[in-house]
Amino acid sequence: MSDHPPVVPPFDGPTPEEEQATIAQSVAGPLFARPWQFVKGVVALSGLPTDRRAEVAFVGRSNVGKSSLINALVGQKSLARTSNTPGRTQEINYFEPGADAKTLGLTSQPYLVDLPGYGYAAAPKSKVEAWTRLINSYLRGRAELRRVFLLIDARHGLKANDHETMDMLDKAAVSYQLILTKIDKLKRTEIDPTIKKAIADKARHVAAYPDVCVTSSQTGEGIETLRTAVAAALLDR
Ligand code: GTP
Ligand code: MG
């Protein structure tokens, strides 16, 4: 018999962060299994749902690919309407999963929220001004909003109006995460510098989430990762 004390192996189980990620991953599968459905289009704050269900919203300049990204997340080509012409989405559109929340591992049916874009849009100026006011009020004051996903076209990077939106979200203490879209439009060699630049550009924004997602609704790149990020945001708290 050896007289050495028994060796206790170091604890190498998952960290709390790793556990959270595993839970989010297991929720993301059933959450994004089809079908999702359109609930309503909202044109005034008074029309927002009042059932206090958790929601995440997709925001960004017109034409960055918000509606396409929602379609890619749920795997349905035409749940949200998309177009080549900036200004396609003109209402705050709510979507929900058809499946029962209990089977999703969530306490209530969540909402995905597709917003009209900001910046140039092929629509009358008064209409664009009205929906811009609406999305700003919505973003600042919506308690149900767990995370905002702020989309940036990877080819163009962050513009002045993106920084304005981020300043507003910082002030309102609304948590948001940047997503670089249309990554399929970049050359492979351009991708890393683009991500680094986006990370550097968001550095002064206090409410920005540390990770930047990189996606293509066309090739599916980054969609699985984004599904997990959405599930994690909905599970949070
Ligand atoms: P608004 O509602 O007008 O603000 O636009 P949006 O941000 O919802 O953009 P939408 O999803 O309508 O997409 C705008 C255009 O970009 C469409 O022609 C899409 O097909 C195209 N698009 C969106 N995502 C991608 C992508 O990942 N890759 C490529 N190549 N094109 C994309
Ligand atoms: Mg849209």
Side-chain angles (χ1 to χ4, degrees):
M1 242 195 26
S2 144
D3 44 1
H4 292 300
V7 177
V8 180
F11 176 68
D12 60 355
T15 64
E17 291 75 24
E18 285 166 345
E19 263 175 15
Q20 274 301 101
T22 309
I23 295 170
Q25 242 168 7
S26 66
V27 169
L31 177 61
F32 289 106
R34 281 172 279 178
W36 278 66
Q37 61 207 22
F38 174 71
V39 180
K40 67 185 322 197
V42 173
V43 293
L45 290 178
S46 57
L48 291 171
T50 53
D51 47 11
R52 310 195 63 81
R53 286 150 55 174
E55 62 196 48
V56 296
F58 296 81
V59 66
R61 291 155 57 83
S62 297
N63 208 242
V64 286
K66 301 175 290 296
S67 304
S68 303
L69 196 61
I70 289 180
N71 289 340
L73 279 171
V74 301
Q76 285 163 256
K77 278 202 165 61
S78 46
L79 180 70
R81 280 200 269 162
T82 66
S83 163
N84 260 326
T85 314
R88 165 78 261 187
T89 308
Q90 305 196 346
E91 300 180 348
I92 299 183
N93 286 327
Y94 274 77
F95 302 97
E96 68 178 6
D100 182 355
K102 287 197 191 84
T103 66
L104 305 173
L106 297 167
T107 50
S108 68
Q109 298 286 80
Y111 290 121
L112 294 185
V113 184
D114 188 13
L115 296 180
Y118 47 79
Y120 171 78
K125 198 170 166 223
S126 60
K127 214 169 174 185
V128 179
E129 283 170 359
W131 85 50
T132 305
R133 274 196 302 277
L134 174 66
I135 55 179
N136 286 344
S137 310
Y138 163 80
L139 289 171
R140 274 196 299 258
R142 184 74 173 158
E144 291 85 343
L145 196 47
R146 298 290 175 86
R147 194 181 299 175
V148 170
F149 291 92
L150 198 157
L151 280 60
I152 307 291
D153 188 320
R155 295 168 299 176
H156 308 313
L158 280 95
K159 301 286 184 191
N161 48 8
D162 296 316
H163 282 294
E164 279 165 26
T165 301
M166 292 162 80
D167 286 339
M168 181 189 78
L169 294 170
D170 286 337
K171 256 193 218 141
V174 177
S175 155
Y176 59 96
Q177 181 165 8
L178 292 192
I179 300 182
L180 292 172
T181 63
K182 308 192 188 184
I183 203 73
D184 57 285
K185 296 261 195 187
L186 294 192
K187 295 194 190 94
R188 283 279 135 197
T189 51
E190 292 171 332
I191 295 177
D192 265 358
T194 303
I195 297 170
K196 283 200 181 108
K197 173 122 188 19
I199 290 172
D201 283 354
K202 76 169 177 61
R204 71 176 163 91
H205 293 282
V206 291
Y209 198 81
D211 296 338
V212 172
C213 269
V214 175
T215 62
S216 165
S217 300
Q218 205 151 86
T219 66
E221 184 168 343
I223 298 300
E224 208 57 62
T225 307
L226 181 57
R227 285 184 181 137
T228 304
V230 171
L234 292 169
L235 282 165
D236 209 11
R237 73 173 81 153

